[in-house]
Amino acid sequence: MSQLDDIDKRIGARIRIERESRGWSLTELAERSAVSRAMIHKIERGESSPTATLLGKLSGAFSLSMSALMARAEMQRGRFLRKGEQPVWVDPQTGYERRHVSPKSDLPLDLVRIELPAGAEVSMPASAYAFVRQLIWVLAGQLTFLEGDTKHPMSPGDCLELGPPTDCVFKNESGEPCVYAVLVLRNA
């Protein structure tokens, strides 16, 4: 079993745990997330690798950020996390690579490194941002961040605090990969 297959299985198991802990059926989660019941079933069984957009919808239905959902699936407690131990997940649709950099701790924040391939685009629903505050910091390349109707062209060194929850799109319209960090501050 590859590391990506293992992560997909842990993500699926975590989604099932979150759903069952709330007493929700597959149908109820499907209605709350706008993800089909069949797709949720495949994800929970580890038979399908979810896209970033699907994870955003599912996490929003649970009143969690995508970062919090992924951390619950990926992380063990500790104050130190070596690069080789940092969980990496790749969106099968876009090649978007998400590396959870910060150790799982009692701190109310997560630090995530994203690499968005050239020409790739990932959308996130407003529900994925409803319970957190975030900063996006571009480390390399060019990022076009659409926050509702507002367009934010971003270059290396630029940092943006996200506003009130709205549907968002991360776009790399260049011919080179874009690397950015997302700092997620969880509501305590």
Side-chain angles (χ1 to χ4, degrees):
M1 175 182 296
S2 77
Q3 185 180 8
L4 287 178
D5 289 339
D6 186 46
I7 284 181
D8 287 341
K9 289 191 182 303
R10 284 186 285 154
I11 290 169
R14 187 72 232 177
I15 290 169
R16 185 180 64 255
I17 288 166
E18 295 294 336
R19 177 180 61 78
E20 290 175 349
S21 72
R22 289 163 173 78
W24 296 352
S25 66
L26 280 171
T27 301
E28 187 167 359
L29 178 55
E31 290 170 357
R32 289 173 179 261
S33 65
V35 175
S36 77
R37 186 182 186 283
M39 178 54 73
I40 295 169
H41 182 69
K42 285 181 180 180
I43 291 168
E44 285 187 355
R45 294 176 52 90
E47 296 171 355
S48 181
S49 181
T51 65
T53 301
L54 283 179
L55 284 174
K57 289 179 178 182
L58 292 168
S59 64
F62 294 134
S63 300
L64 296 170
S65 68
M66 184 171 134
S67 185
L69 179 65
M70 297 292 283
R72 289 179 181 187
E74 299 168 333
M75 308 290 291
Q76 299 297 320
R77 275 218 176 284
R79 294 183 320 128
F80 183 64
L81 188 58
R82 293 192 182 279
K83 182 178 181 183
E85 298 169 345
Q86 294 168 356
V88 176
W89 175 77
V90 179
D91 181 343
Q93 184 177 34
T94 63
Y96 159 110
E97 181 183 284
R98 179 193 181 281
R99 174 181 294 275
H100 196 111
V101 178
S102 56
K104 183 175 181 181
S105 72
D106 293 332
L107 290 174
L109 63 89
D110 292 310
L111 180 59
V112 178
R113 179 192 183 275
I114 306 294
E115 184 163 333
L116 190 59
E121 176 179 318
V122 174
S123 59
M124 289 286 162
S127 61
Y129 303 106
F131 309 97
V132 296
R133 295 185 63 194
Q134 296 188 72
L135 295 172
I136 300 169
W137 179 29
V138 177
L139 303 172
Q142 303 293 315
L143 177 67
T144 301
F145 182 68
L146 302 173
E147 188 177 26
D149 294 330
T150 305
K151 183 176 182 176
H152 302 281
M154 300 178 70
S155 297
D158 292 349
C159 187
L160 172 69
E161 178 184 359
L162 273 63
T166 187
D167 292 343
C168 297
V169 179
F170 296 82
K171 290 176 123 179
N172 181 352
E173 299 172 315
S174 77
E176 300 293 324
C178 175
V179 178
Y180 57 96
V182 178
L183 183 100
V184 180
L185 181 60
R186 296 185 302 270
N187 293 335

